[in-house]
Amino acid sequence: MTDSSQLLFFFSALGAFNGLLLSVYFAVNAKKKIFSNYFLSLLLLVLSVRVIKSVFFYFNPNLSNIYIQIGLSALILIGPFLYLFLKSNSENQKSNWGIHILPFLIGICVVGTFYSYVDHRIIWIKWIVKAIYWQWFIYIVVSFKYIQPILKKVKIKDSIKKIDIWHLSIYTGTFCIWLAYYIAAYTSYIVGALSFTFILYLMGLLLLFKNSKTSTFFQEKEKYKNKEIDNDTIAHIAENLSILVKKELYLKPNFSLEEAAKEMNVSKHVLSQYLNVMLGKSFTNLINEYRIEKAKELLEIESNLTVEGIGYDSGFSSKSTFFSTFKKITGKTPNEYQKMSLK
């Protein structure tokens, strides 16, 4: 093996080896037993098995067919584990993992038994492998619904959490690995293994940059832990918030959190906590939403007011702030919205 081949072998095999280590780490050494991490562990495991097979077959074409069959069979679980990982992090209910794993696992075992790679290599290459790659791709497409909200945040330049970046990187990485293997016939068979190494190290950087003392595996720090608001205060704020809306106090351009808290007779810290925890919004975002709703009402009726004037009457202190906020919340400019509503 030449020096360049040894270097290529090292980098391509490195990803698979580290993938196995990370798989064990997520499954066993987690500080918190978060169920979704087991799906991530299994995703890394099956990817690593696939990559190990690629590396050894590339550098040893005479590799035993049984190892090739195991490596190819592992592909059938990559898509389901990606889907289950994203689903379990995005939804509160427990994932029914059995229907996504057992049929494929049983199916590939049955196919492998009656049509082994050793005796039916052509069938595997022409039909079975292609079917597995398409199954993997279908799961990538189905999993996109859990990534779409993150991309929407990016599009409107909204703040995204570190866990969102983590999910996006895993999804994108899995897709890139699928693409690298799918087009391997037009590039090089080892590209998939090298892409896995590269992507794995990018994911590793995300883990290193996150302070492990504040969270585990990008679970966001609980900002208000041990500072829960009692039920009476929650009811009091909810009632007064509706009064604040009826009074249209948000139309004051400089209406602040302090003023709102004073109006409700609560501290600004408690009000901020209520908005973040109960409504999932900051005070600024909430007030802007109220202002945009008011602006939409004014835009939907014939009047002598200019669009800029409607922005000022809705509580915005500048034309640019009004236009950018309106576009961010509605996806349209005020002029576009007005033309559509007055048709």
Side-chain angles (χ1 to χ4, degrees):
M1 192 182 286
T2 63
D3 290 342
S4 59
S5 295
Q6 288 178 347
L7 197 62
L8 186 62
F9 177 81
F10 173 76
F11 281 111
S12 55
L14 191 61
F17 176 72
N18 287 326
L20 290 174
L21 289 180
L22 270 178
S23 175
V24 174
Y25 177 73
F26 279 111
V28 178
N29 296 326
K31 291 181 181 178
K32 295 180 182 178
K33 294 297 180 181
I34 302 165
F35 194 70
S36 63
N37 285 332
Y38 293 109
F39 292 131
L40 179 57
S41 170
L42 292 167
L43 173 62
L44 289 170
L45 176 63
V46 291
L47 278 170
S48 298
V49 170
R50 175 65 178 94
V51 170
I52 288 170
K53 173 259 170 188
S54 300
V55 173
F56 282 97
F57 181 72
Y58 182 81
F59 289 99
N60 178 21
N62 297 318
L63 182 69
S64 174
N65 286 326
I66 189 63
Y67 295 118
I68 297 175
Q69 181 174 326
I70 292 171
L72 292 173
S73 298
L75 285 172
I76 206 165
L77 297 178
I78 295 174
F81 283 138
L82 171 68
Y83 172 79
L84 289 169
F85 169 71
L86 294 173
K87 179 181 172 68
S88 61
N89 273 288
S90 303
E91 299 177 358
N92 291 326
Q93 67 261 35
K94 211 168 185 179
S95 300
N96 190 0
W97 60 269
I99 62 173
H100 294 282
I101 301 299
L102 296 179
F104 294 119
L105 191 59
I106 294 170
I108 198 65
C109 288
V110 170
V111 169
T113 301
F114 291 97
Y115 295 92
S116 67
Y117 188 86
V118 177
D119 301 319
H120 302 87
R121 186 175 177 180
I122 300 300
I123 293 177
W124 272 80
I125 294 171
K126 286 189 70 175
W127 301 105
I128 299 174
V129 174
K130 286 184 178 179
I132 292 173
Y133 272 112
W134 276 107
Q135 178 255 20
W136 181 359
F137 180 72
I138 289 169
Y139 266 101
I140 288 174
V141 173
V142 173
S143 300
F144 183 72
K145 71 177 181 178
Y146 299 115
I147 298 301
Q148 202 168 13
I150 303 173
L151 296 179
K152 283 182 179 178
K153 289 181 183 179
V154 174
K155 185 178 179 181
I156 63 175
K157 297 180 180 178
D158 197 2
S159 59
I160 59 174
K161 299 177 181 178
K162 291 186 177 77
I163 194 171
D164 291 335
I165 300 173
W166 180 236
H167 291 167
L168 186 59
S169 68
I170 291 170
Y171 178 85
T172 306
T174 305
F175 173 72
C176 288
I177 294 166
W178 173 86
L179 186 64
Y181 275 117
Y182 192 75
I183 65 172
Y186 310 101
T187 54
S188 173
Y189 192 72
I190 203 65
V191 168
L194 290 172
S195 64
F196 181 58
T197 300
F198 176 71
I199 289 163
L200 199 64
Y201 273 88
L202 284 180
M203 290 167 58
L205 284 174
L206 282 173
L207 281 171
L208 288 173
F209 282 125
K210 184 74 175 89
N211 187 344
S212 61
K213 292 181 180 178
T214 59
S215 64
T216 303
F217 306 138
F218 289 83
Q219 299 296 316
E220 292 295 315
K221 183 181 178 181
E222 297 177 51
K223 185 178 179 181
Y224 300 109
K225 190 177 181 181
N226 301 324
K227 294 180 182 179
E228 293 185 0
I229 309 174
D230 61 82
N231 292 332
D232 290 340
T233 304
I234 291 174
H236 172 78
I237 295 175
E239 182 182 352
N240 281 274
L241 192 59
S242 62
I243 294 172
L244 181 149
V245 175
K246 287 178 182 177
K247 289 183 177 181
E248 295 189 333
L249 297 179
Y250 56 85
L251 296 181
K252 294 167 60 178
N254 297 316
F255 189 60
S256 64
L257 177 66
E258 287 82 1
E259 288 181 82
K262 189 176 180 180
E263 184 74 23
M264 297 181 188
N265 197 27
V266 294
S267 73
K268 65 177 184 179
H269 300 293
V270 170
L271 177 57
S272 178
Q273 180 179 349
Y274 173 87
L275 297 176
N276 278 273
V277 175
M278 304 303 294
L279 303 183
K281 300 171 184 177
S282 67
F283 177 77
T284 302
N285 288 339
L286 181 68
I287 294 302
N288 281 340
E289 286 179 8
Y290 290 147
R291 287 171 176 167
I292 293 302
E293 285 303 312
K294 183 65 177 180
K296 285 163 68 177
E297 289 177 16
L298 296 174
L299 289 167
E300 288 169 5
I301 59 175
E302 297 278 1
S303 71
N304 296 323
L305 286 173
T306 63
V307 171
E308 185 177 349
I310 287 173
Y312 289 124
D313 282 3
S314 301
F316 291 96
S317 57
S318 71
K319 177 183 175 180
S320 60
T321 303
F322 171 52
F323 273 64
S324 61
T325 306
F326 197 97
K327 176 79 172 178
K328 179 180 177 180
I329 292 176
T330 67
K332 299 179 178 67
T333 66
N335 289 309
E336 289 171 344
Y337 184 87
Q338 188 176 50
K339 287 177 183 177
M340 184 186 72
S341 61
L342 293 177
K343 279 184 179 178

